[in-house]
Amino acid sequence: LRTDPRIEDLLRELAPQVLGALVRRHGQFDACEDAVQEALLAAALQWADEGVPDSPRAWLTTVATRRLVDEWRSESARRRRQETEAVLELPGQARPADQDDTLTLLFLCCHPSLSVPSQLALTLRAVGGLTTAEIARAFLVPEVTLAQRISRAKQSIKSTGIRFDLPPQPERADRLRVVLQVLYLVFNEGYTTSSGPAVHRADLTNEAIRLARMLLQLVPGDGEVAGLLALMLLTDARRAARTKPDGSLVPLAEQQRELWNTAQIEEGVALVTRTLGKVPIGPYQLQAAIAAVHDEAPTAEETDWPQIRALYEVLDRVSPGPVVTLNRAVAVAMVDGPRAGLALLGTLDTDERMARTHRLEAVRGHLLELAGDLVAARASYQRAARMTASLPEQRYLALRAARLG
Amino acid sequence: MKYMIMMFGDAATMMEQQPKEWIAEMMQFMHTLNDDLSRSGELVDAQGLTDGSQAKTVRFKNGIPVATDGPFAESKESLIGYWIVDVDAEARAIEIASRVVAFIGPAGAPPVEVRQIMAAPPEI
């Protein structure tokens, strides 16, 4: 439906601003969200024919407000009187863009009381301006399922009486972490290549990057927001080199680095450089810094592993966990030899949190192979292949094992 | 995360052994379950398969694939239907499967299997 990419970009940028303004004015997030979606569709059709109006934001606000009024008119007379009075003063005179409204909207869509799938769907629709059909395609679920998910999330916001306000300062940092987590999950979802039309999945990574960019404009001082954006850019920069045309995975060490997106790497590195050491350090910044060290190495052999190891040691202090230990073991192996890495991995054997993931065995297989213990490496790869929930990764691990057979 | 909840067994035999009230209740149960999953925004797909007696099995025989009538697995083990749900966590998929088992288990139906669909992002 939306054909002109410039119009689409503009609409998606304006969507959260218009919705934020409407909700700020009238409350009723669910009704406002429906009205804005309708206004976006109307704009996509009309602007393609007649051109973009002088004040596109005011145009959208006016049309969305009219939809709201129409909706209210169809409700009870008592209600109609009340609400119409409230609306009459508005059309065409939207106040200047209030950037905080977009941020408030993001906090609302990522409210901790909503389930994770609901947070993702609602964020993409209300803040990202995607249609239900587009989101459903991206998540490979029927459109009606996704529509239900969104309507339930809205219902839940309504019934729990969540207010359209920025979270109070004491909890804002925690709430921001949830927002970052949601954006990271959207990004990761786009990274899945196991099934479905790859083009839609790639759209999700682009959308996550776009939303993270927007968020950074709203909270420029937050190092973790910059860190997440940098991490996404530096990871996504390797997209073209990461899979072969047949869909099989290429590990970092074997990727054709000339296929990496240098513009994205430069932007990511600049973000990391700008924030590191100036703001309190957090896990996204550190992971971005590690990704930057990888991306800056001209060849796999020239990777600065001592620096990566040092960064993992900091990450281990800031945000300890088994996955950090796992990655640190790889860095230790590259600096001090595979046996040192395997010794560190051994500390995870009794960790309940690792019992159900394939990653421990996948990394162990890799380090055992480096150590020359091919029989044990093969067994580890095979165990990992049985445990992964990613189809391309299962094939990759099976291939690694078969190679050693 | 998407999970497939698989129901095995022999629906025809089970229904032949149950009173008509149970069959009516079962239909109502399945209808309500699908309705609930659809309203919660978790249902991706739900399908039933034709009776195992209608199956064709394709085998590799004398160097070529050959189709024969009948199921490969014994009918009491064969797949009769499934749900695909998109849920927050494995615990929720197990909860849905438990609801099915709580209903069909007392009628002697075999256990229900819950398997994750391979759709996680690769981590290599």
Side-chain angles (χ1 to χ4, degrees), chain A residues 182-401:
Chain A
V182 166
L183 297 187
Y184 193 47
L185 285 174
V186 171
F187 178 81
N188 259 326
E189 191 70 37
Y191 230 59
T192 309
T193 49
S194 63
S195 52
V199 59
H200 295 307
R201 316 292 288 175
D203 281 350
L204 278 186
T205 58
N206 291 337
E207 180 61 12
I209 289 172
R210 190 181 76 87
L211 291 176
R213 254 203 197 102
M214 187 193 80
L215 182 59
L216 184 61
Q217 279 174 8
L218 300 174
V219 277
D222 190 286
E224 279 297 86
V225 178
L228 176 63
L229 175 59
L231 178 60
M232 289 176 176
L233 289 167
L234 292 164
T235 309
D236 187 57
R238 305 180 204 131
R239 190 201 295 176
R242 212 168 142 264
T243 44
K244 288 188 209 154
D246 65 3
S248 59
L249 294 174
V250 184
L252 190 54
E254 293 166 24
Q255 288 177 11
Q256 285 182 271
R257 297 184 178 220
E258 64 275 15
L259 295 178
W260 288 359
N261 183 329
T262 45
Q264 271 184 230
I265 293 175
E266 276 169 29
E267 189 186 353
V269 169
L271 277 167
V272 172
T273 317
R274 201 185 312 150
T275 49
L276 266 188
K278 299 194 185 75
V279 288
I281 198 85
Y284 286 122
Q285 284 162 272
L286 285 163
Q287 290 176 78
I290 291 162
V293 177
H294 280 299
D295 287 5
E296 286 185 308
T299 63
E301 292 70 32
E302 289 167 87
T303 305
D304 186 349
W305 284 106
Q307 199 190 342
I308 291 176
R309 185 179 66 169
L311 286 166
Y312 272 120
E313 277 160 9
V314 182
L315 185 56
D316 199 37
R317 281 198 295 278
V318 171
S319 164
V323 176
V324 177
T325 310
L326 194 76
N327 290 319
R328 189 157 62 87
V330 177
V332 166
M334 299 310 283
V335 178
D336 295 332
R339 289 288 160 198
L342 284 164
L344 182 54
L345 268 195
T347 64
L348 293 173
D349 284 344
T350 51
D351 195 316
E352 287 286 321
R353 292 167 294 182
M354 296 309 279
R356 298 214 45 197
T357 116
H358 66 286
R359 300 191 62 188
L360 180 56
E361 288 302 321
V363 170
R364 202 195 316 269
H366 176 58
L367 298 191
L368 284 166
E369 188 181 345
L370 289 179
D373 188 346
L374 303 188
V375 175
R378 184 161 183 252
S380 278
Y381 283 137
Q382 285 169 340
R383 274 196 295 274
R386 285 177 190 271
M387 291 170 84
T388 179
S390 157
L391 193 58
E393 194 164 347
Q394 184 194 47
R395 290 172 179 161
Y396 169 83
L397 291 164
L399 204 62
R400 294 305 275 191

Side-chain angles (χ1 to χ4, degrees), chain A residues 37-311:
Chain A
Q37 277 277 329
E38 286 181 39
L40 291 174
L41 285 173
L45 289 172
Q46 202 171 322
W47 297 4
D49 281 348
E50 298 166 18
V52 177
D54 292 336
S55 174
R57 189 173 187 271
W59 191 101
L60 284 170
T61 309
T62 307
V63 171
T65 305
R66 264 192 222 125
R67 300 282 159 132
L68 255 190
V69 176
D70 288 348
E71 180 58 31
W72 284 329
R73 282 212 176 107
S74 64
E75 289 177 25
S76 77
R78 183 191 60 80
R79 179 141 181 184
R80 180 174 66 216
R81 264 201 310 279
Q82 267 183 1
E83 310 287 13
T84 316
E85 279 161 23
V87 169
L88 281 176
E89 50 194 289
L90 178 70
Q93 297 168 29
R95 58 187 182 139
D98 185 352
Q99 294 278 288
D100 273 357
D101 281 348
T102 301
L103 187 58
T104 308
L105 201 58
L106 206 44
F107 278 120
L108 183 75
C109 295
C110 301
H111 196 276
S113 71
L114 301 173
S115 75
V116 173
S118 297
Q119 291 172 338
L120 266 63
L122 202 56
T123 300
L124 288 171
R125 199 172 116 128
V127 187
L130 291 172
T131 65
T132 304
E134 286 167 331
I135 305 167
R137 268 205 302 281
F139 285 100
L140 310 169
V141 299
E143 189 176 341
V144 52
T145 300
L146 203 103
Q148 269 311 122
R149 201 175 287 177
I150 286 172
S151 105
R152 242 176 107 96
K154 287 198 214 165
Q155 205 55 45
S156 164
I157 286 174
K158 198 174 180 178
S159 63
T160 45
I162 300 168
R163 294 177 55 85
F164 188 70
D165 286 322
L166 283 174
Q169 204 49 256
E171 37 179 283
R172 195 168 304 175
D174 284 345
R175 293 286 304 278
L176 189 59
R177 297 288 92 85
V178 181
V179 173
L180 293 178
Q181 175 71 9
V182 166
L183 297 187
Y184 193 47
L185 285 174
V186 171
F187 178 81
N188 259 326
E189 191 70 37
Y191 230 59
T192 309
T193 49
S194 63
S195 52
V199 59
H200 295 307
R201 316 292 288 175
D203 281 350
L204 278 186
T205 58
N206 291 337
E207 180 61 12
I209 289 172
R210 190 181 76 87
L211 291 176
R213 254 203 197 102
M214 187 193 80
L215 182 59
L216 184 61
Q217 279 174 8
L218 300 174
V219 277
D222 190 286
E224 279 297 86
V225 178
L228 176 63
L229 175 59
L231 178 60
M232 289 176 176
L233 289 167
L234 292 164
T235 309
D236 187 57
R238 305 180 204 131
R239 190 201 295 176
R242 212 168 142 264
T243 44
K244 288 188 209 154
D246 65 3
S248 59
L249 294 174
V250 184
L252 190 54
E254 293 166 24
Q255 288 177 11
Q256 285 182 271
R257 297 184 178 220
E258 64 275 15
L259 295 178
W260 288 359
N261 183 329
T262 45
Q264 271 184 230
I265 293 175
E266 276 169 29
E267 189 186 353
V269 169
L271 277 167
V272 172
T273 317
R274 201 185 312 150
T275 49
L276 266 188
K278 299 194 185 75
V279 288
I281 198 85
Y284 286 122
Q285 284 162 272
L286 285 163
Q287 290 176 78
I290 291 162
V293 177
H294 280 299
D295 287 5
E296 286 185 308
T299 63
E301 292 70 32
E302 289 167 87
T303 305
D304 186 349
W305 284 106
Q307 199 190 342
I308 291 176
R309 185 179 66 169
L311 286 166

